[in-house]
């Protein structure tokens, strides 16, 4: 199999987290921003724990200042995804890094990213995300600007950040506002925290999909619930292994979840931070877990079914995942 050529969907990709280190370094030089401690001697992002990863990520985001910066980044990331066979993607975008929650500013960032996405061969939709450790009040502001700009390419709302902070219920108001605006809902849970976090997220936020959810495997009753309710997991195996959630792919829960009837999809999360890309993810699933073209078709069909897009786009792209 030529793994880069397999047509792919990628539902879980943080735009800022997909910024190549060289892109960030170039902007830092242009803008004279100090990046000490962000890169190692080989030019890779530096972090040794989940909390440090989030801190490095936010430092790198400091150079992304203008709508043009985000437009350039959107173009570069979509081009890279196209090289790996991605035909449909959803990008997580944090309004907190795009004007800090100011609606007028966010509209300008969104316009620049939309313009860049519309010229790409990859079909893209946007999921605006609140950052959990910034707290529920900030999340409400994020939800409000998202609700005001829902439509066009902005079709989803989600939450990333430090899962150990606050409770899921603290964010119910924000998610209710986004739901009322017609946005599809997803939240990170069961990545660094266990099954209780997934259960609380489902109960309090009534999301359509869960970002990661891979630690659900620790609770058979929760696994059964995910299967029964058809909750879609945005699984990012390389990210989970890099962050130490599982030691390697053979120990990863993705196969056991699938065998239990849970709907899984595959994405990269923040590829340069985790030294991965979609080609590597598919190659590893094939070589280490024996996945075939049929398995790839199944996860991509599941992803298109769960995609936050209109029906015409869904059926057009679904045709690419029929084993051809
Ligand atoms: N933001 C970017 N990547 C993330 C991850 N893997 N978990 C939580 N928040 C994130
Ligand atoms: Zn993520």
């Amino acid at each position: 199999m030529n793994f880069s050529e397999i047509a792919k969907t990628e539902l879980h990709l943080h735009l800022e987290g997909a910024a190549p280190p060289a892109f960030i370094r170039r902007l830092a030089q242009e803008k004279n921003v100090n990046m000490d401690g962000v890169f190692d001697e080989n030019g890779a992002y530096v972090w040794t724990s989940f909390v440090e990863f989030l801190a490095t990520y936010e430092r790198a985001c400091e150079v992304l200042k203008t709508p043009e910066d985000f437009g350039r980044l959107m173009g570069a990331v979509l081009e890279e995804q196209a090289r790996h066979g991605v035909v449909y993607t959803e990008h997580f975008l944090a309004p907190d890094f795009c004007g800090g929650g100011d609606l007028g500013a966010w509209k300008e960032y969104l316009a620049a990213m939309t313009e860049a996405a519309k010229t790409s061969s990859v079909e893209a939709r946007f999921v605006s995300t609140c950052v959990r450790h910034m707290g529920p009040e900030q999340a409400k502001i994020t939800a409000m600007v998202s609700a005001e700009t829902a439509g066009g390419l902005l079709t989803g709302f989600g939450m990333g950040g430090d899962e150990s902070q606050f409770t899921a219920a603290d964010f119910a108001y924000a998610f209710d506002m986004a739901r009322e605006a017609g946005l599809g809902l997803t939240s990170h849970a069961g990545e660094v925290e266990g099954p209780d976090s997934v259960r609380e997220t489902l109960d309090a936020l009534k999301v359509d999909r869960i970002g990661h959810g891979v630690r659900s495997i620790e609770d058979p009753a929760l696994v059964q619930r995910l299967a029964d309710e058809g909750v879609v997991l945005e699984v990012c195996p390389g990210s989970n292994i890099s962050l130490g959630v599982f030691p390697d792919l053979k120990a990863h829960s993705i196969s056991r979840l699938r065998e239990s009837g849970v709907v899984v999809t595959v994405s990269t999360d923040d590829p340069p931070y985790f030294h991965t890309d979609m080609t590597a993810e598919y190659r590893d699933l094939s070589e280490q877990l024996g996945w075939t073209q049929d398995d790839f078709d199944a996860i991509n069909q599941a992803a298109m079914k769960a995609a936050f897009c209109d029906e015409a786009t869904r059926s057009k792209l679904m045709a690419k995942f029929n084993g051809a």
Side-chain angles (χ1 to χ4, degrees):
M1 257 187 279
N2 183 330
F3 295 102
S4 64
E5 284 179 3
I6 298 173
K8 304 173 184 74
T9 52
E10 182 163 30
L11 297 184
H12 189 124
L13 183 87
H14 300 261
L15 177 65
E16 312 90 11
F23 183 98
I24 295 295
R25 266 196 303 277
R26 193 168 53 241
L27 277 186
Q29 269 163 7
E30 279 174 28
K31 295 167 193 277
N32 215 6
V33 179
N34 184 326
M35 286 278 112
D36 285 355
V38 172
F39 303 108
D40 68 14
E41 63 281 8
N42 300 316
Y45 291 116
V46 178
W47 56 272
T48 56
S49 65
F50 179 62
V51 170
E52 245 190 58
F53 153 70
L54 291 174
T56 299
Y57 185 107
E58 285 176 21
R59 283 278 317 282
C61 284
E62 284 170 22
V63 306
L64 294 164
K65 290 186 187 294
T66 65
E68 292 69 36
D69 295 340
F70 277 87
R72 272 165 74 185
L73 179 58
M74 174 66 68
V77 169
L78 286 170
E79 200 176 303
E80 176 70 1
Q81 286 179 286
R83 287 203 319 112
H84 292 288
V86 174
V87 295
Y88 177 84
T89 190
E90 290 177 11
H91 282 191
F92 292 169
L93 316 171
D96 290 304
F97 301 131
C98 299
D102 177 81
L103 178 60
W106 167 241
K107 282 182 178 167
E108 288 179 27
Y109 284 88
L110 197 53
M113 291 186 282
T114 299
E115 195 182 315
K118 288 216 159 139
T119 61
S120 170
S121 63
V122 181
E123 189 74 45
R125 295 293 181 275
F126 303 155
V127 177
S128 63
T129 51
C130 57
V131 181
R132 186 163 180 152
H133 52 269
M134 292 185 183
E137 290 310 312
Q138 192 62 23
K140 279 184 200 168
I141 295 170
T142 305
M144 195 182 61
V145 302
S146 305
E148 287 290 332
T149 49
L153 296 190
L154 180 61
T155 55
F157 180 77
M159 178 161 66
D162 188 348
E163 194 187 342
S164 71
Q165 306 288 309
F166 303 97
T167 67
D170 292 331
F171 299 91
Y173 186 97
F175 276 74
D176 286 346
M177 209 186 319
R179 184 183 310 101
E180 278 166 28
L183 294 165
L185 302 180
T186 177
S187 178
H188 286 57
E191 176 191 21
V192 292
E193 295 293 314
D196 284 349
S197 172
V198 177
R199 212 177 286 107
E200 285 166 18
T201 299
L202 291 172
D203 291 341
L205 305 184
K206 300 177 181 60
V207 289
D208 308 295
R209 308 191 318 225
I210 293 277
H212 302 285
V214 291
R215 286 193 56 193
S216 304
I217 200 68
E218 295 165 28
D219 181 343
L222 176 61
V223 172
Q224 191 61 50
R225 175 178 176 185
L226 294 174
D228 289 347
E229 295 181 9
V231 177
V232 175
L233 302 188
E234 302 153 3
V235 180
C236 307
S239 159
N240 298 148
I241 293 162
S242 192
L243 282 167
V245 181
F246 298 99
D248 54 39
L249 195 52
K250 290 220 163 81
H252 195 286
S253 60
I254 190 165
S255 298
R256 285 170 289 152
L257 288 163
R258 259 188 109 204
E259 283 155 15
S260 305
V262 178
V263 182
V264 305
T265 62
V266 170
S267 298
T268 58
D269 209 5
D270 309 284
Y273 284 85
F274 305 134
H275 306 286
T276 188
D277 55 53
M278 286 297 274
T279 302
E281 297 288 342
Y282 276 48
R283 182 186 303 116
D284 289 349
L285 288 163
S286 169
E287 292 178 355
Q288 297 185 44
L289 300 184
W291 284 32
T292 64
Q293 181 67 51
D294 284 349
D295 295 305
F296 294 133
D297 283 341
I299 58 164
N300 284 310
Q301 284 165 7
M304 274 326 300
K305 246 189 189 170
F308 299 149
C309 68
D310 56 280
E311 294 312 315
T313 303
R314 196 188 316 284
S315 60
K316 182 182 83 186
L317 286 158
M318 193 67 99
K320 293 189 185 287
F321 305 117
N322 56 8

